[in-house]
């Protein structure tokens, strides 16, 4: 399974990149994410996801991290092996975010691959729209509307 998505977010590249690459933010903008935490900051992280009626824990490895440009990850365990490549570039005062994903379904999931692909594509589109809305809404909030973020969080 492969997919390609893109969204333009009316925020500076540095802000969008910082938000997306802080994996602790994943549950805020990705519907299936229950939790996400760094195992080794900038290198490995763990996610718990609820997808198609199941909850799974997936460990991911960062395969590319180029400031304000690129963030690529691959699943090193879990029910589905996948890679996601994110690119970030300035676009009309905002940021164009592109994602390319590839996934291989094994075992019992192979039979449900078609249904899972459609569900995953809808979910990714929805997640990108949520990311856009969340980051663009930040201008509408005052700093006191946002919870404080501690340096060691």
């Amino acid at each position: 399974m492969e997919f390609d998505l893109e969204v333009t977010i009316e925020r500076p590249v540095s802000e969008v990149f910082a938000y997306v690459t802080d994996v602790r933010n994943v549950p805020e903008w990705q519907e299936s994410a229950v939790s996400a935490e760094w195992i080794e900051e900038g290198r490995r992280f763990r996610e718990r996801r609820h997808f198609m009626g199941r909850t799974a824990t997936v460990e991911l490895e960062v395969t590319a991290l180029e400031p304000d440009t690129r963030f690529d990850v691959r699943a090193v365990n879990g029910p589905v092996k996948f890679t996601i490549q994110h690119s970030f570039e300035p676009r009309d005062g905002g940021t164009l975010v592109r994602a390319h994903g590839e996934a291989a379904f094994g075992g019992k999931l192979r039979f449900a691959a078609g249904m899972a692909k459609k569900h995953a594509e809808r979910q990714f589109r929805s997640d990108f729209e949520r990311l856009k809305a969340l980051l663009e809404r930040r201008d509408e909030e005052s700093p006191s509307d946002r919870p404080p973020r501690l340096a060691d969080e």
Side-chain angles (χ1 to χ4, degrees):
M1 169 183 107
E2 287 188 49
F3 70 87
D4 290 288
L5 294 170
E6 65 179 48
V7 65
T8 300
I9 300 172
E10 300 303 319
R11 302 298 301 160
V13 171
S14 60
E15 184 179 323
V16 175
F17 183 85
Y19 186 84
V20 170
T21 60
D22 183 347
V23 301
R24 297 169 297 183
N25 293 325
V26 167
E28 293 178 15
W29 67 278
Q30 292 185 18
E31 183 181 339
S32 67
V34 175
S35 65
E37 63 186 350
W38 286 109
I39 298 168
E40 188 178 346
E41 185 132 9
R43 294 187 163 185
R44 282 177 108 72
F45 61 99
R46 181 180 305 114
E47 297 178 337
R48 281 183 31 86
R49 291 191 173 266
H50 189 77
F51 183 76
M52 294 185 67
R54 299 198 180 269
T55 300
T57 299
V58 180
E59 191 172 310
L60 296 105
E61 175 182 48
V62 176
T63 57
L65 183 61
E66 299 170 16
D68 296 343
T69 305
R70 189 169 170 188
F71 179 59
D72 300 347
V73 299
R74 75 176 181 92
V76 295
N77 68 7
V80 178
K81 301 296 183 216
F82 63 89
T83 61
I84 301 176
Q85 300 157 343
H86 304 83
S87 67
F88 304 79
E89 60 186 78
R91 176 67 52 96
D92 301 324
T95 303
L96 174 63
V97 181
R98 287 189 173 118
H100 173 77
E102 295 181 21
F105 296 90
K108 295 176 187 175
L109 289 176
R110 196 172 338 167
F111 296 109
M115 184 174 69
K117 179 181 188 219
K118 288 179 184 176
H119 184 79
E121 286 175 340
R122 270 195 313 271
Q123 182 114 29
F124 275 108
R125 274 191 199 69
S126 174
D127 290 344
F128 264 48
E129 289 304 313
R130 189 176 298 106
L131 175 65
K132 175 181 176 67
L134 182 70
L135 292 179
E136 289 180 353
R137 189 173 56 236
R138 287 184 165 192
D139 272 346
E140 298 169 11
E141 300 174 348
S142 74
S144 63
D145 290 336
R146 285 179 251 146
R149 198 156 187 118
L150 302 176
D152 62 346
E153 279 189 327

